[in-house]
Amino acid sequence: MKRILHLGPGNFHRAHQAWYTHHANARGGEAWTITGVSLKSSTARDSLAPQDFDYTLVINSVSDTQYQRISVIDQILVGPENPQAVIDLIADPDTAIVSLTITEKGYHSDAATGHLNTQNPDIASELAGGQPLTAIGFLAFGLQIRHQTHGAPITIISCDNLSNNGATLKRLVLEFNQQAGLGLADWLAASVTFPGTMVDRITPATTDALRHEVEQKTGWADQAPVATELFSEWIIEDDFATAHPAWDQVGAQFVDDVAPFEHRKLRLLNGPHSFLAYAGLYTGHVYVHEAIADAVLRKAVEDLMLEAAATLPASIQSSTVDYCDQLIERFANPALKHELAQIAGDGSQKLPVRILSVIADRHKTGLHSPRAHDVIAYWLVFIHQRSSAHADINDPLAKRFAEIHQMSSDRREKLSAILQTLSPDSSLGQDRVIDRAETLLDA
Ligand code: CS2
């Protein structure tokens, strides 16, 4: 039995990579198991352990619902409880793949430079010899033991919505290795690969209503079901140092270059998703399907998609019309009940990848990006309104936003300081964005 060690076994992982692996196992061939590692909370382990790590995947199309029992995870470790166990599994020869869904903020790359953020307290503590806390620290220290004990090759797969996720992860691990003096660079070059991926499946958070539905329909009182859509896509760079499950037999595609697919997805799906989140909440909607049914927001999404599509490589241009039509249908799926508030979280980490990249690329060819600017303006309004209401902001920069709110009574100054946290370059057109945010706030 070969193992995938997966960092971040949350709902998205369980609707996506775990689902592909479960179905690949069902095709025969060598069986793979997934051992999960939660880097912070024990919630996933606590809810899944009493049911042997099985769970129900509730697949919602507009016309019907399937309930699939997924049985592929054998254990979930909680990093802070036993860091050594995680290190041992990265080094274990039966572990052929480490995969990650740790969200944008889990990579600790500096927003301005793209380098490893050595100012982050967790990274700084790891570099000073403390126990591993972050995905990058666990990987670097685990790979060090693997190298020292047997040196068997391993494949490390980022499945997060970052631009160039494989190369980014590799760079951060190399930088950590260098800063910590681990001496792994040659072995990493020879025996470890970091394929890039594009991952896509809309996966809302689990609610009590979902638990109730699953129990009603299946008779099983599953405490950790996951709802998702029928659509799923996984494009993987064909750059493996090891074997892998037969993912290609169950819908995943192996390609030489992921970049065009990744840009299309980040800019046409995730960018408009963020727009719907901030503009939708501003307008008083709760769910994505409600926001996309609002004619004004729908038109704005279509315009934003056109703006973003113009930045995509020629190889993928001809597919964008159908791709966007399908996206609008996916957003409109009422069965998903995907909360806008879920997408609104971590905006400081998401917007550079999904929106600022569009603005910067268009700027290079002399084009303005009024719709992309609008997304940033709605985000400014979101942060400003929540700060003013002393409401929680789910974002790694929440403390900084609270400081900004305290620092001045001048609204424009605050908006400008919030905007600076995105590290925008001069192509952004700061004044225009802030003017638009002020208009929205005054409306
Ligand atoms: C969403 C994504 O929460 C968000 O930021 O845009 O999680 C989105 O649902 C997935 O990337 C879809 O594949």
Side-chain angles (χ1 to χ4, degrees):
M1 168 93 71
K2 284 227 181 321
R3 180 186 304 107
I4 298 168
L5 190 70
H6 183 81
L7 311 187
N11 277 13
F12 179 69
H13 168 68
R14 283 185 267 145
H16 194 270
Q17 306 96 55
W19 176 79
Y20 282 96
T21 308
H22 169 94
H23 286 289
N25 281 345
R27 294 286 173 114
E30 183 165 26
W32 287 72
T33 187
I34 297 178
T35 302
V37 176
S38 294
L39 292 169
K40 292 211 161 76
S41 119
S42 65
T43 314
R45 191 266 321 270
D46 296 345
S47 55
L48 283 159
Q51 48 193 61
D52 251 352
F53 302 96
D54 283 7
Y55 59 94
T56 312
L57 190 66
V58 181
I59 303 178
N60 293 291
S61 72
V62 176
S63 54
D64 88 43
T65 307
Q66 301 171 41
Y67 300 87
Q68 296 186 356
R69 187 173 179 132
I70 305 299
S71 185
V72 69
I73 299 178
D74 62 1
Q75 177 65 269
I76 293 182
L77 305 174
V78 180
E81 287 179 7
N82 189 353
Q84 191 57 44
V86 179
I87 297 288
D88 290 347
L89 279 183
I90 295 174
D92 187 308
D94 286 341
T95 302
I97 294 175
V98 178
S99 54
L100 300 88
T101 49
I102 54 172
T103 79
E104 295 84 343
K105 62 177 178 274
Y107 289 79
H108 299 298
S109 81
D110 182 278
T113 64
H115 291 299
L116 181 68
N117 180 5
T118 52
Q119 306 300 310
N120 174 271
D122 289 349
I123 297 278
S125 148
E126 292 173 326
L127 288 172
Q131 67 174 34
L133 299 165
T134 71
I136 305 294
F138 272 113
L139 280 174
F141 291 128
L143 291 171
Q144 182 189 28
I145 304 297
R146 191 175 180 98
H147 174 232
Q148 285 167 355
T149 48
H150 53 85
I154 187 163
T155 306
I156 304 186
I157 313 179
S158 165
C159 297
D160 281 297
N161 287 325
L162 305 179
S163 184
N164 236 334
N165 54 12
T168 301
L169 178 58
K170 179 177 182 177
R171 194 184 64 238
L172 296 168
V173 171
L174 274 168
E175 286 181 11
F176 190 102
N177 157 69
Q178 195 194 11
Q179 297 269 344
L182 304 182
L184 294 175
D186 290 346
W187 177 70
L188 287 176
S191 302
V192 185
T193 60
F194 293 81
T197 62
M198 185 284 278
V199 292
D200 189 8
R201 197 169 209 183
I202 294 174
T203 308
T206 299
T207 58
D208 282 339
L210 183 73
R211 291 188 188 92
H212 183 72
E213 174 190 327
V214 168
E215 186 169 1
Q216 293 293 306
K217 297 287 183 184
T218 69
W220 178 31
D222 182 352
Q223 290 311 294
V226 178
T228 193
E229 60 181 336
L230 185 59
F231 181 94
S232 185
E233 222 174 18
W234 195 7
I235 314 258
I236 310 170
E237 184 187 357
D238 198 354
D239 181 26
F240 278 71
T242 56
H244 55 74
W247 289 323
D248 45 327
Q249 287 181 29
V250 290
Q253 287 177 64
F254 288 79
V255 301
D256 290 336
D257 184 12
V258 173
F261 301 98
E262 173 215 280
H263 283 133
R264 182 175 66 179
K265 191 260 176 171
L266 292 172
R267 295 177 183 196
L268 298 182
L269 187 160
N270 295 108
H273 237 182
S274 289
F275 170 77
L276 284 172
Y278 301 120
L281 289 170
Y282 172 88
T283 314
H285 300 297
V286 175
Y287 296 110
V288 174
H289 69 272
E290 290 172 355
I292 198 69
D294 177 324
V296 175
L297 297 185
R298 179 179 167 138
K299 171 79 174 74
V301 161
E302 288 167 352
D303 291 346
L304 175 61
M305 285 174 166
L306 283 177
E307 223 172 79
T311 68
L312 296 176
S315 63
I316 214 155
Q317 280 290 342
S318 63
S319 68
T320 53
V321 173
D322 289 347
Y323 187 82
C324 291
D325 287 348
Q326 188 182 31
L327 276 177
I328 303 261
E329 272 175 37
R330 292 171 62 195
F331 292 164
N333 183 347
L336 277 181
K337 297 205 181 57
H338 193 192
E339 290 199 18
L340 297 167
Q342 183 182 339
I343 303 168
D346 288 350
S348 70
Q349 313 295 301
K350 293 174 176 174
L351 294 179
V353 179
R354 14 182 112 172
I355 297 293
L356 294 185
S357 56
V358 170
I359 297 175
D361 277 3
R362 289 176 63 90
H363 184 73
K364 282 184 212 143
T365 53
L367 294 171
H368 292 303
S369 310
R371 294 301 177 176
H373 281 136
D374 235 28
V375 185
I376 310 284
Y378 275 108
W379 173 72
L380 285 182
V381 167
F382 173 78
I383 299 293
H384 178 76
Q385 286 183 328
R386 294 198 65 90
S387 302
S388 306
H390 301 287
D392 280 347
I393 298 178
N394 175 15
D395 194 293
L397 296 191
K399 245 176 80 194
R400 176 76 193 122
F401 297 143
E403 283 163 19
I404 291 172
H405 189 67
Q406 296 303 321
M407 90 185 181
S408 155
S409 53
D410 183 79
R411 188 174 77 184
R412 199 169 173 94
E413 219 174 285
K414 290 189 212 191
L415 292 172
S416 165
I418 299 169
L419 187 53
Q420 278 312 313
T421 64
L422 288 184
S423 292
D425 64 31
S426 52
S427 63
L428 182 60
Q430 330 263 358
D431 281 340
R432 229 172 320 140
V433 173
I434 296 174
D435 287 347
R436 176 76 173 120
E438 295 219 276
T439 308
L440 291 168
L441 285 165
D442 290 335

